[in-house]
DNA sequence: CACATAAGTTGTGGCGTCTTAGCCC
DNA sequence: GGGGCTAAGACGCCACAACTTATGT
C-alpha cells in the first residue's frame, strides 16, 4: 500500500488528498477543494496548505528541498531536530511554505505548487495517469522539473555549514539553485500534476480575465436573479505574490448534484453559467477521481454519497461563533476575582 | 457489577504582550 | 528600500469548579 492510501479526500472519499483546509479540518483533492471553496465568499477565505508528506494529516508548513518533501511542523521537528542535531537530516535545506486561499485557477495553482514553467495548455495536451498506471510527463518543462526535483544527494562538503550559525535555515554552500526552485509540492508531484491536469480540462481554456470578461462570459451578476460571483481569485501568502487580492469572476457556478444512473454510476455536474438561466448538463467523468478497477462502481458511488453527506452535514453544523459548553463555568468565570485580567486566588 | 473515591483534565473571560500589516516619511 | 509608528488581531496567562477517567472496595 502506498502512502497515498492514508490520505483519502474527505469530500469525495477516494481521490488522494493533497491539500489541507485548516478551517474545515479537511483533507481535500484539488477538484473537491475548488468545489468546496468556490461555494461562497466565506469559504473562499479558508487558507489551504499542502498535506504533510509524512503524517498525511496536517498542513505542511516546511519544504525540505533536500528530500523534496513537504512537512508539518511536528514532522519537521521530529525529522530535522529530534535529538539529531548532528545527523545529516538536521543539515537539510528547508524553507517555510505558505498557504493560499480564494479560488485559484489552474495556472495559479501551478504557480502555487511551484510549477510556474508549466502552462495550462501543456497540461491539457498532456496525458497524466498516476498511481498504478503509467505516468508520462511529456509536458514542456516538466521533465526538467523532475530532473532537479528528485532527492539530490549533495556532497558532504556541501552540507557543512560555513558560518557557524546554529539554526538550520542558513544558506549553505550548495550547488546552484535548480530551475524552478519554487516547486514545493513534496512527494506527490505526479498526483498533483494529474489532478491539475484533470482540473485544467474542466476549466475554460485561457482564463485570461480581461478576455473572459470582454467575451461576455461574465455577467454583471444582476441578470436572471443571480448574485454576482465575484470572489477573490486567491491570496497566496507570499510576500512577493502578485496575485494578492486579485478579484476575478468565477467563470461558472458548478453545483454538483449526484445523479445516479440506472446502469452505471455516473456523476453529472450541473454547470450553471453565470449569465445563463438554464443549467447545462455536462458529464464530468474525466474530472472525477479514477476508480480502482477492483471496487464495484456502485460501491464507490455509495461511499461517495455517504462521504459527501458526512462532509456537508459537518459543514452545516460548523460553528464559527464561540460556543459555550458549560454555562455554569462561564458564570463562574465572570464572577471570579481578577488581577489584570487573570484569575486571582480566592481569599480565605 | 455497582458504587465511592481519587486523580487528572477541561473550560471559562479579561488583560497584557507579541506579531503582523499598513502607512508615512 | 528601510526605519518608525500605529492599529488590529492572535495568543498566553491565571484559579478553580465541573467534568472525566482510573482505581479500589
Amino acid at each position: 500500500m502506498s502512502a497515498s492510501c492514508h490520505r483519502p479526500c474527505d469530500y469525495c472519499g477516494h481521490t488522494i488528498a493533497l491539500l489541507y483546509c485548516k478551517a474545515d479540518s479537511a483533507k481535500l483533492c484539488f477538484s473537491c477543494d475548488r468545489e468546496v471553496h468556490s461555494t461562497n465568499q466565506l469559504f473562499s477565505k479558508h487558507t489551504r496548505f499542502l498535506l504533510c508528506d509524512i503524517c498525511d494529516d496536517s498542513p505542511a508548513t516546511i519544504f525540505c528541498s533536500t528530500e523534496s518533501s513537504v512537512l508539518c511542523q511536528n514532522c519537521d521537528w521530529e525529522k530535522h531536530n529530534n535529538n539529531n542535531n548532528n545527523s545529516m537530516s538536521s543539515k537539510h535545506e528547508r524553507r517555510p511554505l505558505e498557504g493560499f486561499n480564494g479560488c485559484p485557477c489552474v495556472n495559479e495553482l501551478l504557480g502555487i505548487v511551484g510549477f510556474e514553467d508549466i502552462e495550462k495548455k501543456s497540461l491539457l495536451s498532456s496525458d497524466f495517469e498516476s498511481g498504478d498506471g503509467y505516468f508520462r510527463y511529456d509536458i514542456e518543462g516538466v521533465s526538467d522539473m523532475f530532473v532537479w526535483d528528485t532527492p539530490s544527494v549533495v556532497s558532504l562538503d556541501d552540507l557543512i555549514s560555513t558560518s557557524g550559525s546554529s539554526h538550520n535555515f542558513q544558506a549553505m554552500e550548495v550547488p546552484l539553485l535548480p530551475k524552478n526552485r519554487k516547486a514545493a509540492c513534496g512527494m506527490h508531484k505526479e498526483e498533483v500534476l494529474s489532478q491539475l491536469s484533470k482540473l485544467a480540462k474542466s476549466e475554460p481554456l485561457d482564463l485570461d480575465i480581461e478576455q473572459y470578461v470582454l467575451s461576455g462570459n461574465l455577467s454583471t451578476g444582476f441578470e436572471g436573479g443571480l448574485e454576482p460571483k465575484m470572489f477573490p481569485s486567491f491570496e497566496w501568502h507570499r510576500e512577493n505574490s502578485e496575485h494578492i487580492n486579485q478579484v476575478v469572476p468565477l467563470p461558472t457556478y458548478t453545483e454538483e448534484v449526484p445523479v445516479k444512473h440506472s446502469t452505471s454510476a455516473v456523476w453529472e455536474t450541473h454547470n450553471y453559467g453565470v449569465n445563463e438561466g438554464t443549467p447545462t448538463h455536462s458529464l464530468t467523468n474525466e474530472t472525477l477521481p479514477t476508480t480502482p478497477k477492483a471496487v464495484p462502481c456502485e460501491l464507490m458511488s455509495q461511499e461517495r454519497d455517504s462521504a459527501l453527506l458526512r462532509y456537508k452535514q459537518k459543514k452545516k453544523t460548523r460553528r464559527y461563533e464561540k460556543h459555550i459548553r458549560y454555562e455554569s463555568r462561564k458564570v463562574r468565570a465572570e464572577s471570579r476575582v481578577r488581577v489584570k485580567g487573570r484569575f486571582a486566588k480566592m481569599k480565605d
Side-chain angles (χ1 to χ4, degrees), chain A residues 292-337:
Chain A
K293 289 167 190 165
V295 185
C297 291
E298 198 167 331
L299 187 61
M300 291 298 295
S301 177
Q302 285 173 358
E303 284 175 2
R304 185 184 158 110
D305 275 345
S306 92
L308 197 65
L309 201 64
R310 282 200 309 274
Y311 186 86
K312 286 183 175 174
Q313 286 293 340
K314 190 178 173 184
K315 220 171 173 181
K316 275 182 189 173
T317 56
R318 191 184 302 130
R319 294 170 181 274
Y320 293 99
E321 74 282 6
K322 185 172 181 177
H323 173 59
I324 302 295
R325 291 181 63 187
Y326 302 104
E327 194 68 30
S328 59
R329 291 184 177 182
K330 175 182 163 68
V331 173
R332 169 77 186 161
E334 283 172 344
S335 64
R336 294 282 293 271
V337 180

Side-chain angles (χ1 to χ4, degrees), chain A residues 67-314:
Chain A
E67 291 192 338
S68 290
S69 57
V70 293
L71 310 171
C72 65
Q73 284 188 338
N74 285 343
C75 294
D76 174 62
W77 174 261
E78 283 183 17
K79 188 165 183 67
H80 297 108
N81 291 293
N82 194 16
N83 300 324
N84 247 353
N85 284 338
N86 294 326
S87 70
M88 296 280 279
S89 61
S90 68
K91 304 275 196 311
H92 285 179
E93 187 180 358
R94 290 126 69 216
R95 62 181 168 82
L97 278 179
E98 309 292 342
F100 69 93
N101 59 23
C103 303
C105 65
V106 170
N107 277 336
E108 292 167 334
L109 284 169
L110 284 167
I112 289 170
V113 296
F115 292 136
E116 290 95 337
D117 288 1
I118 306 177
E119 288 184 2
K120 185 182 162 187
K121 287 174 188 169
S122 306
L123 273 182
L124 283 170
S125 62
S126 70
D127 196 358
F128 274 93
E129 191 76 42
S130 62
D132 299 328
Y134 55 90
F135 174 61
R136 272 175 32 209
Y137 34 95
D138 49 357
I139 296 176
E140 200 181 330
V142 175
S143 53
D144 288 349
M145 215 158 301
F146 285 92
V147 169
W148 74 262
D149 219 6
T150 48
S152 57
V153 179
V154 293
S155 71
L156 194 59
D157 288 343
D158 293 332
L159 295 175
I160 298 173
S161 162
T162 54
S163 67
S165 174
S166 60
H167 65 73
N168 295 324
F169 291 104
Q170 66 196 20
M172 295 187 296
E173 299 264 352
V174 293
L176 287 174
L177 282 170
K179 187 182 174 185
N180 245 327
R181 61 193 180 87
K182 287 177 183 173
C185 54
M187 296 173 174
H188 295 83
K189 299 175 203 68
E190 294 92 341
E191 184 61 27
V192 167
L193 288 170
S194 169
Q195 289 189 14
L196 287 179
S197 171
K198 288 170 185 167
L199 205 57
K201 287 169 186 167
S202 67
E203 235 180 31
L205 194 59
D206 280 331
L207 265 186
D208 184 284
I209 306 309
E210 286 181 28
Q211 275 186 359
Y212 198 75
V213 173
L214 289 172
S215 67
N217 282 328
L218 173 69
S219 74
T220 58
F222 295 101
E223 307 132 15
L226 288 169
E227 290 179 12
K229 299 293 178 187
M230 300 287 286
F231 294 126
S233 167
F234 77 99
E235 193 171 329
W236 183 10
H237 298 182
R238 287 167 72 154
E239 277 180 51
N240 54 354
S241 170
E242 307 153 354
H243 307 283
I244 290 178
N245 291 333
Q246 221 175 13
V247 176
V248 295
L250 195 65
T252 56
Y253 175 66
T254 302
E255 182 184 7
E256 189 169 87
V257 182
V259 177
K260 195 175 174 183
H261 289 222
S262 55
T263 51
S264 63
V266 176
W267 288 70
E268 285 187 10
T269 300
H270 294 185
N271 291 321
Y272 294 87
V274 174
N275 53 353
E276 293 168 351
T278 54
T280 57
H281 285 62
S282 65
L283 295 178
T284 57
N285 280 351
E286 60 187 12
T287 62
L288 287 175
T290 53
T291 307
K293 289 167 190 165
V295 185
C297 291
E298 198 167 331
L299 187 61
M300 291 298 295
S301 177
Q302 285 173 358
E303 284 175 2
R304 185 184 158 110
D305 275 345
S306 92
L308 197 65
L309 201 64
R310 282 200 309 274
Y311 186 86
K312 286 183 175 174
Q313 286 293 340
K314 190 178 173 184

